[in-house]
Amino acid sequence: MATSRAALAILVASLLYPIHGAAQASAAPAPAPTPAPAPAPTPAPSAPPTAFRNVSLGMPLDQVKAALLADPLFRYRGDPDVSFLPQTKQYLIECQGASFLRRAYFQFADGRLFIMILVLDEQKLDHYSMFSTLSAKYGQPTSLSPQETVWQSDAVRFSLERPLTVKYVDARTFAAVLSRGGAQKDLEQLSREKFLAQF
């Protein structure tokens, strides 16, 4: 009889132990949650560009000619695409483009490129996509109007103009040309309206 009672006590103890252990385990504090990783810092906007593909503001005329000849995006034919502006004694390269580029203009002062204008194909690109892409890369524009969006630095005035034209202007050279009083007429020749009239 004593043996039966001892066996029963052991059985009861073995049944109660897991319950008691589980109660103690449930009473233990939950581990602190792992903090979420900090978000990656947003990269700083880039400075407005001074180059497109292999053509950069400040390049001499012969280097620009060579770069255009080597790039299939530009349908540059050589000297037939080069004009001389007698009022300012400056050279202008005007050539057709391929793919997303309809036409391109390159104006030189003192033998170096200081204005580059790219007329894009509105059938393949749209103003909103260009604006979104440029804003993501170069940050908030310096100025914004229905006609144009401008990003400016000490080195360059970079703009997106309607309907779909991108313009690079060497700020220092342009200021020097203006100070000599010779740039206003060329600016009128290179305006968006004049471009559209040539197509």
Side-chain angles (χ1 to χ4, degrees):
M1 188 71 172
T3 304
S4 301
R5 289 178 182 174
L8 181 61
I10 292 172
L11 177 63
V12 171
S14 65
L15 292 174
L16 290 178
Y17 177 76
I19 298 174
H20 180 68
Q24 286 185 332
S26 63
T34 304
T42 303
S46 301
T50 59
F52 178 72
R53 295 169 77 89
N54 292 323
V55 181
S56 302
L57 296 177
M59 286 177 64
L61 177 62
D62 288 342
Q63 286 187 18
V64 174
K65 289 181 178 181
L68 296 179
L69 280 172
D71 193 333
L73 186 63
F74 301 100
R75 293 177 177 167
Y76 175 62
R77 302 172 299 166
D79 287 342
D81 288 338
V82 182
S83 304
F84 182 68
L85 305 174
Q87 290 187 341
T88 56
K89 299 180 180 180
Q90 296 173 0
Y91 285 94
L92 174 70
I93 295 176
E94 175 186 348
C95 66
Q96 293 184 348
S99 185
F100 300 101
L101 180 66
R102 289 180 59 193
R103 190 170 290 270
Y105 299 81
F106 306 88
Q107 188 175 352
F108 298 79
D110 301 323
R112 293 189 174 273
L113 180 64
F114 84 107
I115 294 178
M116 176 167 51
I117 301 177
L118 308 174
V119 182
L120 307 181
D121 190 339
E122 296 173 71
Q123 301 300 317
K124 298 178 179 178
L125 293 170
D126 62 90
H127 186 275
Y128 178 77
S129 295
M130 285 296 300
F131 174 80
S132 299
T133 299
L134 297 176
S135 296
K137 187 168 186 179
Y138 304 117
Q140 290 295 320
T142 307
S143 65
L144 179 64
S145 74
Q147 291 75 35
E148 67 173 358
T149 305
V150 178
W151 292 264
Q152 184 145 5
S153 68
D154 292 340
V156 64
R157 184 185 191 273
F158 176 70
S159 60
L160 173 65
E161 302 180 2
R162 290 186 182 274
L164 200 56
T165 299
V166 177
K167 182 184 291 186
Y168 304 69
V169 179
D170 185 309
R172 297 184 182 94
T173 303
F174 184 66
V177 172
L178 276 180
S179 70
R180 298 198 297 263
Q184 188 59 42
K185 185 64 177 178
D186 292 335
L187 254 189
E188 294 171 359
Q189 293 175 349
L190 294 172
S191 67
R192 176 173 59 87
E193 292 77 11
K194 291 289 185 180
F195 280 140
L196 295 176
Q198 297 180 58
F199 297 130

